[in-house]
């Protein structure tokens, strides 16, 4: 068990010694840019705050937490000397506050769709604990991850949806939910990451092999209702365990041939598997009704591999032309899970459609690119101080305005976030906001507050928000812009 | 609590239904290429196996684990239908094997330095459990992460070491240990990742702000002996909490000025902070002995920012020319933590040295690029089946040899890994290996085995191995090469 006192960057332990006395101090977190700086679609799908709050903030400090933390910091300075640790302050948390970390945290609801520079959380610390305002930054910042996965997954849904409108009949549009499948479990760094990232993907799709995330959503967030789905499928080790690929496929059909199942096809020679092996096994498969075979290429050029599979399947299984003029395979599909990212999906979809096949024939399996190859910098997340009420009671707005990188400015003051007429969450200086519900809700206030909302509900909200809102919007209100201009002019 | 049965990719649950009966089945894991395909330095620093084994394999299945897993899979198929789950098989694990997962796992010792295609672990499953041989692949594969961080961190040590040999006097070489500082906690996706990655970095350096990793190493892996170090340091929120930067720096000096401490310098105007603010605060600092001030730029071009700090510090603090002809600042240094990666470090070091300053003046703070911006593909990790003893007792070597991507071939047979005369771990077909100790050690055998080795010991081994071994070596023995050639010729 890691002592709670080390769940932060080391330097945070020195900050209570540095901050001047204050009556109140407020910090906030924001994404400073859109996904990979995309100026044509700046929407951000906010998700993942509750996990952090429940797992790490709703944990009381005990005397032994404090002793363990002191023990760690006692040799953490250079030369294994004593690193400053505010022991007395934490002793007061235990003695006078029942061990609850003495801050108030507000944040946007999960499923809100926002634009860069919208505060996603605020932390308020007061009086003797004002120096702890940024202690939790390290953990709270990690909301960058589920939000970035959720945003990427949702952007890909848009991409596939366009192809669905072109090439899939309306009554088959429900298939969109399963067209992006999470292959990312093993490409994660650890189980916790897989659970957090895999959960975020399930906001926009149902397809997942990250079973731990699907179980987490179902049993912890959704009152037992399942959200993730998969199908039985072979891996290379299964294919090569048989004397021949033919035997492996026949066994898979024997076991799972009355439903959907997938076979990986490149263990030895992909072209041979498609052109020689597949036709010889199909006769026995035709005996079963309800069967649906998914062919999985796993190497070579991804577009070519998909097209090869479609053409081979068309020859073996046959196809029908739908009312939009695109071919739909009979009882067969393709899943491409090698080298898949946003750009490859776009390229493959274009190739598939221009070859006359409907987008419904292809599922994309995305691994590291979905759950891992995104970074805190993908949407440039940061937490900064924004407001101080000094020891003498005077209030000051505070911000960072580095001349050397204007993109790294932070917002000054206290904030209110409210939706405008078309639903865009706008940031106002507190006190200058319009009527309407406040989007910054209390997540924690010197102890837990109730955070119960089903995943189904969050999915619905996320879906509706994303579809309703414009791709680009400026969330900073005119009054706040005025304050920023003043702050930038008055650099210290 | 996530049920143990969902700690794998969904499709694994279908594999016991597919694998043909066998007496024995063996799979292994390997890195298929060097760090970012670097052909000039192919060394890989293996680390992180014990964590996975202790956390996930040394956990007994209970009846309630089984019920929870069955419950999850009962609605995990397409349309929320029942997904195949081998209930009877797992019931036998609980009833007949005390709940221990029925496989044997061997692996290389942590701290071994290897080359691509060396098996880092093997999994053996026998008789009725032979179909579970790849069940644990998802979790075991995650060893890619600590090994990749360890390798990257160590490669950077080499880079800085070259500059030390050029510009740092021998008695100051101990400073090398702290020249790369882990700034990566908040750029991680979760706490578990930060602990695993931050630990791997500590194999080659002592500098870290990922306190959770430093505490994990100290208390769980190193019998209480500390390995990680940091220094008190400000953040932007601390700097902007004061009325002026001058006040913030004075307070930091007041609190920590008798030791090493760092101040971030770009909250408002970096040039002004260096040229105007710094000279005015230095008088009071000079009063304290033992003080060491570290200037932290955090925006702008990283090389220019470092050079500006060095020149400003030289003017204010002064410097001495060492015996190698390079300037060493008096009681001052620079830490650059913005936009740092391998290439930037190389560029900055070159710029610093060619400006006449010693490499000892500069510490690099590396965040996402150290702990997150690496992938399973960085060294292409994979697990594949390699050997089967069929139900009739006949033995077969097995491998994947996709025509469409020759880099994705896997090794056939059973393996022995032994060091050759110069210490390179060589892979031999089992039975054709030379004398000497076997490097594939037992990590788990149908239950826990003792895995006690101090982190200090692993560090020492890693350091010695890395320094002794050549940058490039071919670890495949001639006999194994012969087998691979045969297998590739006999594609099914």
């Amino acid at each position: 068990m890691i002592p709670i006192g080390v769940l932060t960057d080391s330097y945070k332990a020195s900050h209570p010694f540095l901050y001047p006395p204050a009556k109140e101090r407020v910090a906030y977190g924001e994404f400073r840019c859109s996904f990979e700086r995309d100026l044509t679609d700046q929407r951000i799908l906010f998700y993942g705050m509750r996990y952090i709050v429940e797992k790490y903030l709703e944990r009381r400090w005990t005397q032994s937490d404090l002793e363990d933390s002191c023990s760690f910091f006692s040799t953490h300075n250079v030369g294994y000397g004593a690193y400053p640790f505010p022991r007395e302050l934490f002793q007061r948390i235990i003695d006078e506050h029942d061990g609850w970390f003495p801050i108030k945290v507000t944040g946007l609801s999960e499923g809100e769709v926002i634009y860069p520079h919208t505060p996603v959380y605020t932390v308020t610390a007061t009086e003797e604990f004002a120096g702890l305002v940024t202690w939790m930054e390290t953990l709270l910042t990690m909301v960058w991850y589920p939000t970035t996965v959720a945003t990427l997954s949702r952007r890909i849904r848009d991409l596939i949806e366009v192809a669905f409108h072109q090439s899939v009949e309306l009554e088959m549009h429900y298939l969109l939910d399963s067209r992006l499948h999470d292959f990312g479990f093993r490409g994660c760094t650890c189980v916790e990451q897989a659970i957090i990232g895999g959960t975020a993907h399930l906001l926009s799709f149902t397809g997942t092999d990250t079973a731990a995330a699907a179980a987490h959503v179902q049993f912890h967030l959704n009152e037992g209702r399942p959200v993730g789905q998969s199908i039985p499928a072979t891996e290379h080790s299964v294919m090569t365990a048989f004397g021949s690929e033919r035997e492996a496929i026949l066994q898979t059909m024997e076991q799972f041939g009355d439903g959907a199942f997938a076979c990986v096809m490149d263990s030895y020679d992909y072209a041979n598997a498609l052109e020689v092996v597949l036709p010889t096994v199909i006769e026995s498969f035709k005996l079963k009704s309800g069967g649906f075979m998914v062919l999985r290429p796993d190497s070579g050029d991804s577009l070519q591999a998909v097209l090869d599979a479609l053409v081979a399947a068309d020859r073996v299984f046959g196809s029908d032309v739908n009312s939009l003029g695109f071919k739909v395979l009979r009882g067969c599909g393709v899943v491409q899970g090698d080298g898949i990212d946003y750009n490859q999906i776009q390229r493959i979809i274009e190739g598939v459609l221009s070859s006359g096949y409907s987008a419904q024939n292809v599922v994309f399996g995305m691994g590291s690119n979905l759950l891992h190859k995104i970074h805190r910098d993908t949407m440039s997340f940061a937490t900064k101080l924004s407001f101080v009420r000094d020891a003498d009671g005077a209030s000051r707005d505070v911000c960072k305005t580095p001349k050397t990188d204007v993109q790294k400015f932070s917002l000054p003051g206290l904030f209110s976030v409210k939706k405008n007429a078309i639903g865009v969450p706008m940031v106002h200086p507190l006190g200058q906001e319009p009527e309407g519900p406040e989007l910054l809700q209390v997540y924690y206030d010197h102890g837990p507050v109730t955070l119960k909302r089903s995943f189904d509900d969050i999915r619905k909200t996320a879906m509706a928000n994303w579809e309703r809102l414009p791709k680009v919007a400026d969330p900073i209100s005119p009054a706040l812009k005025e304050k920023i201009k003043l702050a930038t002019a008055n650099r210290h």
Side-chain angles (χ1 to χ4, degrees), chain A:
Chain A
M1 190 69 166
I2 294 294
I4 191 171
V6 301
L7 293 179
T8 191
D9 288 293
S10 303
Y11 74 161
K12 299 284 187 192
S14 68
H15 295 167
F17 298 96
L18 297 176
Y19 277 117
K23 287 206 180 309
E24 183 180 3
R25 204 167 270 133
V26 179
Y28 80 102
E30 62 170 1
F31 292 93
R32 293 184 293 204
C33 70
S34 54
F35 195 92
E36 290 177 350
R37 278 93 183 144
D38 182 354
L39 298 180
T40 68
D41 188 349
Q42 303 195 310
R43 287 172 295 179
I44 294 167
L45 177 46
F46 182 67
Y47 184 74
M49 185 83 180
R50 177 174 156 189
Y51 176 88
I52 297 169
V53 169
E54 287 189 342
K55 178 136 188 198
Y56 297 110
L57 262 172
E58 296 185 6
R59 178 172 159 190
R60 293 163 75 173
W61 280 68
T62 63
Q63 193 63 39
S64 107
D65 281 324
L66 179 54
E67 301 307 331
D68 289 348
S69 304
C70 289
S71 164
F72 170 73
F73 281 102
S74 72
T75 58
H76 188 51
N77 213 328
V78 67
Y80 301 118
Y83 194 99
F85 183 81
R87 185 188 177 103
E88 295 70 26
L89 201 61
F90 280 92
Q91 191 64 59
R92 292 189 61 179
I93 293 174
I94 294 169
D95 295 344
E96 299 166 24
H97 294 267
D98 280 344
W100 295 113
F101 200 80
I103 55 173
K104 177 178 172 180
V105 177
T106 72
L108 300 177
S109 292
E110 296 182 316
E112 289 294 351
V113 171
I114 54 163
Y115 302 84
H117 290 300
T118 311
V120 301
Y121 60 71
T122 72
V123 179
T124 304
T126 57
E127 305 293 347
E128 70 268 37
F129 300 116
L132 293 175
V133 63
T134 46
W135 185 280
M136 286 292 171
E137 173 186 2
T138 309
L139 294 179
L140 289 171
T141 291
M142 288 178 177
V143 80
W144 76 261
Y145 175 61
T147 296
T148 307
V149 172
T151 302
L152 172 59
S153 174
R154 177 63 224 208
R155 286 164 64 92
I156 293 174
R157 189 180 162 101
D158 281 2
L159 187 62
I160 302 176
E161 195 170 15
V162 171
F164 261 58
H165 284 301
Q166 281 180 266
S167 69
V168 180
E169 288 178 349
L170 266 183
E171 71 262 31
M172 301 306 285
H173 273 222
Y174 70 90
L175 288 174
L176 181 56
D177 282 346
S178 54
R179 293 309 94 168
L180 183 65
H181 198 93
D182 175 0
F183 276 15
F185 202 162
R186 75 188 66 176
C188 285
T189 62
C190 59
V191 171
E192 189 178 15
Q193 175 184 5
I195 290 173
I196 297 171
T199 295
H201 164 69
L202 289 173
L203 284 171
S204 300
F205 289 97
T206 57
T208 187
D209 257 44
T210 302
H216 172 72
V217 169
Q218 179 175 353
F219 297 112
H220 294 273
L221 305 176
N222 211 35
E223 298 148 20
R225 293 187 301 278
V227 173
Q229 305 183 359
S230 184
I231 59 171
T234 69
E235 62 182 1
H236 290 106
S237 296
V238 165
M239 302 302 284
T240 60
F242 288 84
S244 71
E245 264 178 322
R246 184 184 143 77
E247 288 170 65
I249 299 174
L250 283 174
Q251 168 70 358
T252 311
M253 288 173 163
E254 174 65 28
Q255 288 291 321
F256 306 124
D258 53 355
F261 66 94
C263 280
V264 64
M265 302 296 280
D266 75 327
S267 297
Y268 308 107
D269 180 344
Y270 182 53
N272 184 68
L274 290 181
E275 286 155 30
V276 180
V277 181
L278 189 61
T280 74
V281 292
I282 195 58
E283 279 312 310
S284 50
F285 180 56
K286 278 200 180 136
L287 298 175
K288 298 213 181 189
S289 74
F292 190 93
M293 181 174 190
V294 180
L295 306 174
R296 176 157 78 93
D298 198 40
S299 48
D301 175 78
S302 56
L303 170 57
Q304 195 54 52
V306 169
L307 293 179
D308 289 350
L310 289 171
V311 169
D314 200 354
R315 205 155 45 218
V316 173
F317 291 83
S319 64
D320 301 296
V321 175
N322 68 14
S323 64
L324 296 159
F326 288 88
K327 286 196 262 192
V328 177
L329 296 174
R330 289 187 198 135
C332 187
V334 178
V335 58
Q336 173 67 28
D338 179 52
I340 287 301
D341 61 16
Y342 186 94
N343 293 331
Q344 284 299 315
I345 291 176
Q346 188 157 37
R347 178 170 162 264
I348 292 169
I349 283 179
E350 283 169 9
V352 166
L353 264 61
S354 66
S355 299
Y357 290 94
S358 166
Q360 78 181 69
N361 294 298
V362 184
V363 167
F364 298 95
M366 194 162 162
S368 294
N369 285 310
L370 179 62
L371 294 195
H372 189 73
K373 286 188 188 176
I374 46 174
H375 321 291
R376 182 163 74 93
D377 294 343
T378 302
M379 302 198 293
S380 189
F381 192 87
T383 297
K384 297 295 165 205
L385 196 67
S386 68
F387 176 81
V388 179
R389 198 144 47 82
D390 286 324
D392 63 6
S395 293
R396 283 187 298 125
D397 295 342
V398 169
C399 61
K400 173 189 174 187
T401 57
K403 257 192 174 169
T404 19
D405 188 348
V406 290
Q407 289 308 308
K408 285 189 171 180
F409 78 91
S410 65
L411 303 178
L414 297 170
F415 315 114
S416 167
V417 181
K418 300 210 170 181
K419 295 200 179 181
N420 70 9
I422 60 164
V424 172
M426 298 290 296
V427 197
H428 306 271
L430 191 69
Q432 296 177 254
E433 72 275 19
E435 293 289 298
E438 175 59 52
L439 298 193
L440 287 169
Q441 302 285 305
V442 178
Y443 269 88
Y444 175 91
D445 189 359
H446 298 73
V449 301
T450 309
L451 300 172
K452 285 270 170 273
R453 209 168 137 227
S454 76
F455 194 77
D456 280 346
D457 183 38
I458 296 170
R459 289 186 100 204
K460 219 175 292 171
T461 311
M463 210 65 96
N465 282 330
W466 187 274
E467 284 167 6
R468 184 178 52 223
L469 287 171
K471 291 189 175 179
V472 177
D474 178 355
I476 315 272
S477 72
L480 187 53
K481 281 201 175 122
E482 205 50 46
K483 283 182 97 167
I484 296 168
K485 209 193 288 176
L486 269 170
T488 313
N490 295 331
R491 280 203 183 84
H492 296 236

